[in-house]
Amino acid sequence: MPEFGASAIPTPPALSSSRNTTPTPTTTSEEESSQGSASTPDRPATAIPELKRRSKYRHVAAYHSETRASCLSRDSNASPSFFGFRNLVVIVLIVMNLRLIIENFMKYGVLICLRCHDYRKQDLVLGAVLFSLVPCHLFIAYLIELAAAQQVKGVIGRKKKSDLPNGKQMEEQPDFRRTWVYIAIAHTVNASVCLLLTSYSVYFYINHPGIGTLCEMHAIVVWLKNCSYAFTNRDLRHAFLHPSPENNLPTIYDSCPYPRNITIKNLTYFWLAPTLVYQPVYPRTSYIRWNFVAKRVAEFCGLAVFMWIISAQYASPTLLNALEKIALREWASIAERVMKLSTISLVIWLAGFYALFQSFLNALAEVLKFGDREFYKDWWNSPSVGRYWRTWNIPVYQFMKRHIFSPLIGRGWSPFAASVTVFTFSALLHELAVGIPTHNVIGVAFGGMMLQLPLIAATVPLEKMNSQAGKVMGNAIFWLSFCLVGQPLGALLYFFAWQAKYGSISRGLK
Amino acid sequence: MPEFGASAIPTPPALSSSRNTTPTPTTTSEEESSQGSASTPDRPATAIPELKRRSKYRHVAAYHSETRASCLSRDSNASPSFFGFRNLVVIVLIVMNLRLIIENFMKYGVLICLRCHDYRKQDLVLGAVLFSLVPCHLFIAYLIELAAAQQVKGVIGRKKKSDLPNGKQMEEQPDFRRTWVYIAIAHTVNASVCLLLTSYSVYFYINHPGIGTLCEMHAIVVWLKNCSYAFTNRDLRHAFLHPSPENNLPTIYDSCPYPRNITIKNLTYFWLAPTLVYQPVYPRTSYIRWNFVAKRVAEFCGLAVFMWIISAQYASPTLLNALEKIALREWASIAERVMKLSTISLVIWLAGFYALFQSFLNALAEVLKFGDREFYKDWWNSPSVGRYWRTWNIPVYQFMKRHIFSPLIGRGWSPFAASVTVFTFSALLHELAVGIPTHNVIGVAFGGMMLQLPLIAATVPLEKMNSQAGKVMGNAIFWLSFCLVGQPLGALLYFFAWQAKYGSISRGLK
C-alpha cells in the first residue's frame, strides 16, 4: 500500500504542468516514443486512430475501444504462430534428459571403465584370421571369372573361325547357359564357404559380440559383393558374346569393356569401395581432399566414443534392470523399460547412422576417390515405412533392387511378390548379422524385418495422400515403429537371451 | 543361402524371353511404373536419362553413374529438410512422459483421493464472509464518488451563477485539488481496509491454501479495480469541470458522460467485467452465445480436474521427495528435483493459463456481453522477457500502463524508472497473492518479480536484433527463465516453507 499512498494524490496534468519543468505535450511524445514503440506492433492497426487522439488525461484512455477476440478463439481471424512452443518442446526435451543424466549419475556413479571390458585374446586372433580369409575368397572369385572370360574368348575365337551368321547360331547354342551353371556353382560354393566358415567360427568361438559383429558383417558384405560381381559379369559376358544395338550397356562402362575388367586391381577396388553393386567403372573424383578425410575420421572417432559412453552409462543399467522384469513377465514394467530404452537406443542409432553412413563411408569414398556419395537420402522425413527402407541404406537398397527385385520383375513376378522376396532375404541377413554374434538365432531380427511388410502396406496410403497431415501421420508411424517397437525391443530380447546364456558381458555390473 | 540357390541361376533375359509368357519390354515398363514411380521422386533429375536408355540386362545397370554428395555433407547443394526430426522430438517427448506416468504409477499407485483433502469448515465459512464483504466496499466506493459528483455539480451550479470567464477562474482555484485529497483518502482507506482485512483473515485464520488464494486474489483484484475507478473518475471529473477541445475524451465515452456513469449498475458491471481498467462505457456484443459459454465452462471444468490430478499424482510426490534434499542442501538432487518439477509445473501452468485466460474470462465476457476479449496475446512466441510481461496478462498490463507507467511518464519520469516502479508494485502484489495464502511472506515471489528487470534488460538486444536467431535465442531464454528457474523453484520454496510450518496438507501423503 505505500505505492498507493505515494501515487494516490497525483495532480491532474493540467495542474501539475505548472510544477513540472517539462511541459505535458513533450512528455506525451516521449511516452509515445518509448512505450508506444514497444507496444505498437502488438496492437491491431484499427486501434491506432483512437490512441492518436489521446487525451491529456492519463487515467481515462479507452484501452477497451473495440470488440476483439482472444487469439486462441475460433472467432479470431488469424490463428497465431506457435513458433515459441516448438522451442519449448526442444527445451523440455533437453531438460528432461539432463535430469535423467543427473538421476543416472546419482544412482550408478560413473560406469565407464576401460579395464572392465571382457574380451579374450582368442577373439582377437580368430577375428584377425577371419578378416584375412576374405581376400583369399575374393581371389578365388577372380580366378573363376578369369576362367569364364578365357572360355568366352575361346568361343569368340571359334565363332570367328566358323564365320557363321552371328546372332542366330548363338541363341540356339546352350553353350553359354551350361557354362554359367558351372560358374554359378563355383561362385556359390566359394562365397558361401566364406560366409559359413565365418558364421560358424563367430557363433562357436568368438565370445565378444562386438568383435563377432564386425567379422560377421564383413563376411556378409563380401558375400553380397561376390554375388553382385558374379551376376554383373554374367550379363557383361552375355553382352560381349551377343553384340547388338539393343543390348546397349551404360556408357560409363565404355572405358573398360568386358574382359578387360577381370583384373585383381578392379576386384580389389570393388571390395574396398563403399557400394554393394559391382560396376566395371565407377564415377571417380580427381583428387583426395585429405582435410575432408581427417574431419570425417575425427567425427567417426568422436561418435564412437560417444556411443560407447552412452551404452555403458545408460543402456547397460537399463537393460540389466529390465532383465528380471522380462523374466517375471511384468508387462507394465517391460513397457516402461522399453520406453526408457527407446530414447537411449534412438540416440545410439542416430549416432551410429551418422558415424557409419556419413563419416565412415564418406571418408572411405574420399580415400578411394569414389564419386557417388549418395549413401542415404533424407529418410528422417519418410512419410511411410516403405520410403524409409528405400532411403536409409542406399548401398543395400541398390543391391536388392538391381540383383533381386529388378530381375524378378523381369521374369514376370508381381512387385508385391518381388518385395516379399527382397524382405525375406533381407530378414535372413539381419538374423545372421544379429543372431550369430550374440550366439542366439532366436528369429527376432527375422520377424522384425518381416513385420515391415504389413507396416509398409499400411503406410502406403498415407504417403499417397500427398497432404501435410498424411505426411505427418506417416512420419509419426514410421518413427514409432522404428524407435519404439523396433530397436529397443529387439535389443532387449537379444540382450535377455545373451544374459540367459552367459550372464553379464561386463565384470563391473552385477 | 536357399535364396542364392533359388535365384543364382536365372537365365539372361534374352534366353528367358522364350520361356516367359510376358515379353521383356512389357515387364520392363511394368517395373518402371511400379518401382520406378516410387523411386523416381527420390532420384535427381540428372540421373533419369541414364535409366531411360536401360539395357535389357538386369544386373548391369549403372547405379553409380555420376558424382553425388551425401545430403548431410557441406558439398551438397541444398541442405535437406528436417521436418521428420521435428516430429521425432514431439514423439520422444510424449513417450518420455508416458514412461514417467507408468513409473509414477508403479511407485505410488493412485494418489488421487477426494476425501483425503484436509479443508476445514472454518475456512469455507470465513471464505464466504470475505467474499461477501467485497460488494460492501464497492458500495462505499460508489458513495464516495456520488458525493464527489454532487460536489462537482454544486461547483458547476455556482460557476454558472457567478458567470465568470470559465477556464481562467478554475485554474487559479485550488478547490478541485483539495476535494481530490479528501476523496483519495476516502478511497484509500476504503479499498485498503478491504485488502488488509482479507489478508489478515487469510493469513491467520484460513488454513487451506486454495481457499486462501481465491479470497486473496479476489481482494487484490477488487483493490485494483477500486484504484482504477477512483483515478478514472478523478480525470473525468476534471474534464467535466474544464470543458475544452484539447481535453477531448475517447469518443466511446460519449454515450455516458461524466456524472451519469456514477451508478450502482455501472460499478457492478465493472466489478464483474474481465478488466482492471475502468471505463464508463465498454465495447459490447449484441447478444450472448450460450453454446459458446457452455463450451468455455466445460473447458474450464475439464482443465481444473486435469490440474488437480496432475498436482495430486505428480507434483505432490515430487515436492515431498524434494523436501529432505532441500533440508540437506544436496544441490545435485535439488537441481534434479527442480528439473523434474519444471515439466510438471509447466503443464499445470499452461493448463491454468488456458483455463483462466481463455476459458474462464471468455465465458465471463460472453455472459456480460463484454466485447474486448484480448486477455492475452501470443506470449509464447516472446523474443524477450519484456515482451512476455507485456502480453501474457493484458488486464494487469493495461492497469499498470494506464494508472502507473503512463502517469509517471507524464510527470517526466524516465521509462526505466517507471518500469522499475511498475515491477516493484507488481512484485508486492505477487508476494501478497502467494505469501499470504501460504502463510509465509518469505519474499521469494517479490524477489522473483524483481529479478525480471535484469532479465528484461538482457533480452532487449535479442528482440531488437530482428533476426530469426535472435528471436529463437530470446525465446529460449524466456522459456528457460520462466519454466526452469521461475515456476518450479518458487513452488518448491513455498512448499518447503509450508511443510516446515505445518507438515503435509494431505493426510494421504506421509
Side-chain angles (χ1 to χ4, degrees):
Chain A
M1 277 61 64
E3 280 307 307
F4 189 77
S7 67
I9 321 176
T11 48
L15 298 175
S16 66
S17 63
S18 56
R19 283 197 327 180
N20 283 331
T21 49
T22 41
T24 312
T26 319
T27 53
T28 307
S29 71
E30 184 188 319
E31 186 205 347
E32 286 279 355
S33 66
S34 67
Q35 179 68 8
S37 69
S39 62
T40 310
D42 316 336
R43 182 153 286 134
T46 48
I48 289 168
E50 183 67 50
L51 285 178
K52 277 269 166 78
R53 53 184 290 283
R54 184 183 295 196
S55 155
K56 67 172 184 177
Y57 295 111
R58 297 287 171 175
H59 295 285
V60 296
Y63 281 66
H64 303 290
S65 56
E66 53 172 356
T67 301
R68 281 181 291 203
S70 304
C71 66
L72 291 176
S73 283
R74 284 204 187 169
D75 305 335
S76 177
N77 300 323
S79 80
S81 144
F82 290 109
F83 150 82
F85 283 120
R86 225 162 68 200
N87 294 335
L88 178 64
V89 163
V90 173
I91 289 172
V92 168
L93 202 67
I94 293 170
V95 168
M96 284 183 79
N97 282 295
L98 261 181
R99 186 187 81 76
L100 289 177
I101 288 171
I102 295 179
E103 195 183 64
N104 170 285
F105 179 77
M106 293 195 309
K107 217 163 162 184
Y108 302 110
V110 175
L111 292 178
I112 297 153
C113 162
L114 266 174
R115 300 195 166 201
C116 305
H117 223 64
D118 182 17
Y119 62 86
R120 300 172 193 171
K121 206 182 165 192
Q122 177 194 327
D123 292 2
L124 288 176
V125 171
L126 196 54
V129 168
L130 290 174
F131 255 78
S132 57
L133 252 178
V134 165
C136 308
H137 285 278
L138 279 171
F139 185 70
I140 294 170
Y142 159 72
L143 292 179
I144 295 168
E145 284 303 323
L146 197 65
Q150 293 300 337
Q151 193 261 349
V152 161
K153 278 182 199 163
V155 170
I156 294 278
R158 264 175 278 138
K159 198 169 68 183
K160 272 186 185 156
K161 274 180 195 162
S162 61
D163 210 7
L164 273 168
N166 175 15
K168 213 173 179 181
Q169 195 206 9
M170 292 307 288
E171 265 175 45
E172 283 150 20
Q173 238 181 7
D175 198 35
F176 177 85
R177 233 197 129 194
R178 203 169 52 235
T179 315
W180 165 241
V181 170
Y182 296 136
I183 294 168
I185 290 172
H187 272 305
T188 307
V189 169
N190 175 46
S192 300
V193 160
C194 177
L195 184 62
L196 288 175
L197 209 68
T198 306
S199 298
Y200 178 84
S201 312
V202 169
Y203 192 84
F204 289 105
Y205 300 112
I206 292 193
N207 183 53
H208 193 277
I211 298 171
T213 303
L214 275 180
C215 294
E216 187 68 20
M217 286 301 291
H218 186 222
I220 293 174
V221 164
V222 167
W223 187 80
L224 291 174
K225 288 193 183 208
N226 229 326
C227 293
S228 183
Y229 190 65
F231 283 130
T232 311
N233 277 318
R234 198 258 326 245
D235 275 10
L236 289 173
R237 201 156 49 239
H238 193 268
F240 177 67
L241 277 170
H242 308 80
S244 88
E246 64 171 281
N247 292 354
N248 53 5
L249 294 175
T251 44
I252 191 171
Y253 299 174
D254 293 352
S255 63
C256 184
Y258 169 59
R260 266 167 51 196
N261 69 320
I262 308 298
T263 64
I264 288 192
K265 195 186 163 198
N266 186 291
L267 179 56
T268 308
Y269 186 82
F270 174 52
W271 173 37
L272 298 173
T275 179
L276 296 173
V277 159
Y278 176 68
Q279 293 182 196
V281 183
Y282 292 102
R284 300 287 288 272
T285 57
S286 42
Y287 55 92
I288 303 173
R289 294 170 297 172
W290 284 107
N291 65 333
F292 180 90
V293 176
K295 277 184 204 162
R296 297 294 86 78
V297 169
E299 276 173 9
F300 183 81
C301 296
L303 284 168
V305 170
F306 172 78
M307 284 190 286
W308 174 57
I309 291 175
I310 297 278
S311 306
Q313 185 73 38
Y314 301 103
S316 294
T318 310
L319 284 166
L320 282 172
N321 288 343
L323 284 185
E324 55 178 321
K325 317 284 180 192
I326 294 187
L328 294 172
R329 306 270 189 291
E330 282 178 16
W331 298 113
S333 303
I334 292 175
E336 191 266 341
R337 286 292 95 178
V338 167
M339 283 175 179
K340 181 144 191 179
L341 207 55
S342 70
T343 318
I344 301 168
S345 72
L346 179 70
V347 168
I348 295 177
W349 197 92
L350 289 177
F353 169 80
Y354 194 92
L356 193 60
F357 282 78
Q358 172 67 10
S359 306
F360 177 72
L361 291 188
N362 262 297
L364 184 63
E366 188 71 31
V367 169
L368 293 172
K369 297 192 206 164
F370 189 84
D372 187 1
R373 312 283 169 89
E374 206 186 44
F375 307 121
Y376 56 89
K377 289 175 190 163
D378 60 336
W379 55 266
W380 46 88
N381 299 332
S382 302
S384 69
V385 177
R387 170 76 199 256
Y388 164 70
W389 287 107
R390 288 198 299 278
T391 50
W392 90 271
N393 188 337
I394 297 287
V396 166
Y397 167 69
Q398 287 177 334
F399 179 90
M400 297 293 181
K401 193 175 166 198
R402 197 204 210 199
H403 297 301
I404 302 181
F405 189 88
S406 202
L408 289 180
I409 294 286
R411 285 171 161 225
W413 287 41
S414 71
F416 174 74
S419 292
V420 170
T421 311
V422 163
F423 271 87
T424 311
F425 178 66
S426 172
L428 282 171
L429 292 185
H430 273 82
E431 186 65 38
L432 266 186
V434 179
I436 297 289
T438 57
H439 308 185
N440 279 290
V441 186
I442 53 178
V444 171
F446 183 86
M449 279 305 291
M450 294 314 285
L451 205 74
Q452 299 303 316
L453 284 167
L455 275 172
I456 290 172
T459 50
V460 160
L462 290 170
E463 186 175 12
K464 291 208 172 143
M465 269 171 68
N466 231 341
S467 71
Q468 191 59 25
K471 268 186 193 168
V472 170
M473 235 163 78
N475 192 247
I477 291 175
F478 148 63
W479 278 119
L480 278 174
S481 74
F482 167 76
C483 69
L484 204 57
V485 186
Q487 306 284 334
L489 204 62
L492 252 183
L493 290 172
Y494 280 99
F495 187 78
F496 180 66
W498 174 277
Q499 293 283 342
K501 213 166 169 180
Y502 299 105
S504 177
I505 53 159
S506 177
R507 292 185 211 118
L509 292 165
K510 277 287 160 265
Chain B
M1 276 63 65
E3 280 305 309
F4 189 78
S7 65
I9 320 175
T11 47
L15 298 175
S16 66
S17 61
S18 56
R19 282 196 330 183
N20 283 329
T21 48
T22 41
T24 312
T26 319
T27 52
T28 305
S29 72
E30 183 189 321
E31 187 207 344
E32 286 280 356
S33 66
S34 67
Q35 177 68 8
S37 70
S39 64
T40 311
D42 316 338
R43 179 155 289 131
T46 48
I48 289 168
E50 181 67 48
L51 285 178
K52 278 267 166 81
R53 52 182 293 282
R54 185 182 295 197
S55 154
K56 67 172 185 176
Y57 296 110
R58 297 286 170 177
H59 295 286
V60 297
Y63 280 65
H64 304 290
S65 56
E66 52 173 356
T67 300
R68 281 181 292 200
S70 303
C71 67
L72 290 177
S73 282
R74 285 203 184 166
D75 305 334
S76 177
N77 300 323
S79 80
S81 143
F82 290 108
F83 150 84
F85 282 120
R86 225 160 68 200
N87 295 335
L88 177 64
V89 164
V90 173
I91 289 171
V92 168
L93 203 66
I94 292 170
V95 168
M96 284 185 78
N97 282 293
L98 260 180
R99 187 188 80 78
L100 289 177
I101 288 172
I102 295 178
E103 193 183 64
N104 169 284
F105 179 78
M106 293 195 308
K107 215 163 163 185
Y108 301 110
V110 175
L111 292 178
I112 297 151
C113 162
L114 267 175
R115 300 195 166 201
C116 305
H117 222 63
D118 181 17
Y119 61 87
R120 299 169 193 174
K121 207 182 166 191
Q122 176 195 325
D123 291 1
L124 288 176
V125 171
L126 195 57
V129 169
L130 290 175
F131 255 79
S132 58
L133 251 178
V134 165
C136 308
H137 285 279
L138 279 171
F139 185 69
I140 295 170
Y142 160 71
L143 292 180
I144 294 167
E145 282 303 321
L146 197 65
Q150 292 301 336
Q151 193 261 350
V152 162
K153 277 182 198 160
V155 169
I156 294 278
R158 264 176 277 140
K159 198 168 67 181
K160 270 185 186 155
K161 274 178 192 163
S162 61
D163 213 6
L164 274 169
N166 176 14
K168 214 175 179 183
Q169 196 204 6
M170 291 308 286
E171 267 180 39
E172 284 150 19
Q173 241 181 4
D175 199 33
F176 178 86
R177 236 203 126 191
R178 204 169 50 236
T179 316
W180 165 241
V181 171
Y182 296 136
I183 294 167
I185 290 172
H187 272 304
T188 307
V189 169
N190 174 47
S192 301
V193 160
C194 177
L195 184 61
L196 286 175
L197 210 70
T198 306
S199 298
Y200 178 84
S201 310
V202 169
Y203 192 85
F204 288 106
Y205 300 111
I206 293 191
N207 182 55
H208 193 276
I211 298 171
T213 303
L214 275 180
C215 293
E216 187 68 21
M217 285 301 291
H218 186 222
I220 291 172
V221 163
V222 168
W223 187 81
L224 290 174
K225 290 195 180 205
N226 229 324
C227 293
S228 181
Y229 190 64
F231 283 130
T232 310
N233 278 318
R234 198 259 325 246
D235 275 10
L236 288 173
R237 204 154 51 238
H238 193 268
F240 178 65
L241 277 171
H242 307 80
S244 89
E246 66 172 278
N247 291 355
N248 53 6
L249 295 175
T251 45
I252 193 173
Y253 298 174
D254 294 350
S255 63
C256 182
Y258 169 58
R260 268 169 50 197
N261 70 320
I262 307 299
T263 64
I264 287 191
K265 193 185 162 200
N266 186 289
L267 179 57
T268 307
Y269 187 83
F270 174 52
W271 173 37
L272 298 172
T275 178
L276 296 173
V277 158
Y278 176 69
Q279 292 181 197
V281 183
Y282 291 101
R284 302 288 287 270
T285 56
S286 41
Y287 57 91
I288 302 173
R289 294 170 297 172
W290 286 107
N291 65 335
F292 180 90
V293 177
K295 276 183 206 163
R296 297 294 86 78
V297 169
E299 276 173 9
F300 182 81
C301 296
L303 284 169
V305 170
F306 172 77
M307 284 190 284
W308 174 57
I309 290 173
I310 296 278
S311 305
Q313 185 73 39
Y314 302 103
S316 295
T318 310
L319 283 166
L320 282 173
N321 288 343
L323 284 185
E324 54 178 322
K325 317 284 181 192
I326 295 188
L328 294 173
R329 307 268 189 293
E330 279 178 18
W331 298 114
S333 304
I334 294 176
E336 191 266 341
R337 286 291 97 178
V338 166
M339 284 176 178
K340 180 146 194 179
L341 207 56
S342 70
T343 318
I344 300 169
S345 73
L346 179 70
V347 168
I348 295 177
W349 197 92
L350 289 178
F353 169 81
Y354 194 92
L356 193 62
F357 282 78
Q358 171 66 10
S359 305
F360 177 74
L361 290 187
N362 263 297
L364 184 64
E366 188 70 31
V367 169
L368 294 172
K369 298 189 204 165
F370 188 84
D372 187 0
R373 312 282 168 87
E374 204 187 47
F375 307 121
Y376 57 89
K377 288 173 192 167
D378 59 337
W379 56 265
W380 47 87
N381 299 331
S382 301
S384 68
V385 177
R387 171 75 201 254
Y388 164 71
W389 287 107
R390 289 197 299 278
T391 49
W392 89 271
N393 187 336
I394 297 287
V396 166
Y397 167 69
Q398 287 178 334
F399 178 90
M400 297 294 180
K401 191 177 169 196
R402 198 206 211 197
H403 297 302
I404 301 181
F405 189 88
S406 201
L408 289 180
I409 294 287
R411 285 171 159 223
W413 288 40
S414 70
F416 174 74
S419 291
V420 170
T421 312
V422 163
F423 271 86
T424 311
F425 178 69
S426 173
L428 283 170
L429 293 185
H430 272 82
E431 186 64 39
L432 268 184
V434 179
I436 298 286
T438 56
H439 309 184
N440 278 292
V441 186
I442 53 177
V444 170
F446 183 86
M449 279 305 290
M450 295 313 287
L451 205 72
Q452 300 303 315
L453 284 166
L455 276 172
I456 289 171
T459 49
V460 160
L462 289 171
E463 186 174 12
K464 291 205 172 145
M465 267 169 71
N466 233 342
S467 71
Q468 192 59 22
K471 269 185 191 167
V472 169
M473 235 164 79
N475 191 248
I477 292 176
F478 147 64
W479 278 118
L480 277 175
S481 74
F482 167 78
C483 70
L484 201 60
V485 187
Q487 307 281 334
L489 205 62
L492 251 183
L493 290 172
Y494 280 100
F495 187 79
F496 180 64
W498 173 278
Q499 293 284 342
K501 213 165 168 179
Y502 299 105
S504 178
I505 53 161
S506 176
R507 291 186 212 118
L509 291 167
K510 278 287 158 266

